[in-house]
Amino acid sequence: MNALNVAKFGGTSVADYAAMSNSASVIKGNSDTRLVVISACSGVTNLLVELANGVADAKKQQDVLAKIADIHFSILEHLPANAAVDIAINDVLDEVATFATAAATSPSDRLTDSLVACGELMSTHIFTHLLNAQGIDAERVDVRQILKTDNVFGNATPDLVETAFHAQGVLRPLCDVKVAVTQGFIGADNDGNTTTLGRGGSDYSAALLAEAVQATSLEIWTDVPGIYSTDPRIA
Ligand code: ASP
Ligand code: MG
């Protein structure tokens, strides 16, 4: 069996252009890395949760939407113009606005999952574009086609058999020819509703997908300012 490494990058590792570029270098450094699982850009999930809880004041809602848009477009500014990616981001932002308005009057767990999933849906569009711009043949995969769950919104349980079936049929063949970029944290139930695995769920997604594609290794990358060479509690 060919070596296949899965690499997961959290929110701080895809927070901005510089962080995404670092993560791209990590991917370039290992040709076995052909499945990449990422989180939403740092801070985005919290802003989406705020909207999901219902922001009734229209001006305040606009401010939150503008912050979310700005995080993504300020990364795209550094990349070659790509109309398809701009359209994809704007489409997701339109969905965010529609869901936010609905949540302001009648919030629900189901609506919350559709809303908070938008962070990963956007970060993967941008990161795939960045990888391609850097000469890595990458393709974005909507993980909701692969990672199937029950319908316990906000804390869904993955269906391992269904997930393995779709991962083997769709994801693994793609990983054999290029770098697949997909979302952590989110999935879909049998009716196609978007679900989430709970806050911080991207590590779990990466492990599930690594197992489902029968990867040979899994790396969970994180961004830290430095590492201690000794136990800092020992003077
Ligand atoms: N974006 C999600 C969160 O902030 C999932 C994750 O980053 O693992 O909880
Ligand atoms: Mg985490």
Side-chain angles (χ1 to χ4, degrees):
M1 197 172 67
N2 290 340
L4 170 58
N5 180 49
V6 178
K8 180 261 172 182
F9 297 91
T12 46
S13 304
V14 292
D16 51 26
Y17 176 72
M20 279 199 182
S21 299
N22 276 338
S23 301
S25 305
V26 169
I27 294 166
K28 269 191 201 159
N30 182 358
S31 59
D32 290 341
T33 302
R34 289 185 319 277
L35 178 56
V36 176
V37 179
I38 66 169
S39 295
C41 303
S42 185
V44 170
T45 308
N46 287 344
L47 292 168
L48 293 167
V49 167
E50 200 179 322
L51 293 174
N53 289 339
V55 177
D57 181 77
K59 166 84 178 71
K60 194 150 178 264
Q61 199 190 100
Q62 281 306 318
D63 288 349
V64 178
L65 288 168
K67 267 191 215 165
I68 295 170
D70 188 56
I71 291 170
H72 298 95
F73 283 111
S74 57
I75 303 175
L76 285 174
E77 266 171 24
H78 295 269
L79 291 168
N82 182 312
V85 176
D86 286 354
I87 290 170
I89 297 297
N90 278 317
D91 283 351
V92 180
L93 288 170
D94 284 348
E95 278 199 340
V96 170
T98 307
F99 292 142
T101 305
T105 49
S106 46
S108 70
D109 290 344
R110 178 171 153 170
L111 193 52
T112 297
D113 272 5
S114 294
L115 198 41
V116 298
C118 290
E120 273 73 7
L121 293 176
M122 288 188 278
S123 64
T124 43
H125 274 297
I126 297 175
F127 193 60
T128 307
H129 176 36
L130 182 140
L131 291 179
N132 280 307
Q134 297 201 0
I136 299 171
D137 190 12
E139 186 169 320
R140 177 182 180 273
V141 176
D142 190 324
V143 82
R144 293 173 297 183
Q145 300 167 9
I146 314 285
L147 207 155
K148 299 295 177 183
T149 71
D150 65 12
N151 63 359
V152 179
F153 298 106
N155 191 23
T157 298
D159 181 330
L160 300 182
V161 174
E162 278 283 304
T163 300
F165 176 77
H166 296 292
Q168 288 300 318
V170 180
L171 194 53
R172 178 71 206 220
L174 185 64
C175 298
D176 286 336
V177 292
K178 50 173 80 177
V179 174
V181 177
T182 200
Q183 303 82 24
F185 179 50
I186 75 175
D189 71 9
N190 279 335
D191 299 322
N193 295 305
T194 301
T195 56
T196 65
L197 304 179
R199 291 301 304 270
S202 291
D203 292 358
Y204 185 28
S205 297
L208 288 166
L209 293 171
E211 173 69 24
V213 295
Q214 296 180 327
T216 44
S217 53
L218 164 65
E219 294 170 351
I220 307 279
W221 289 85
T222 191
D223 240 71
V224 287
I227 51 170
Y228 290 110
S229 54
T230 51
D231 186 339
R233 288 165 300 189
I234 300 169

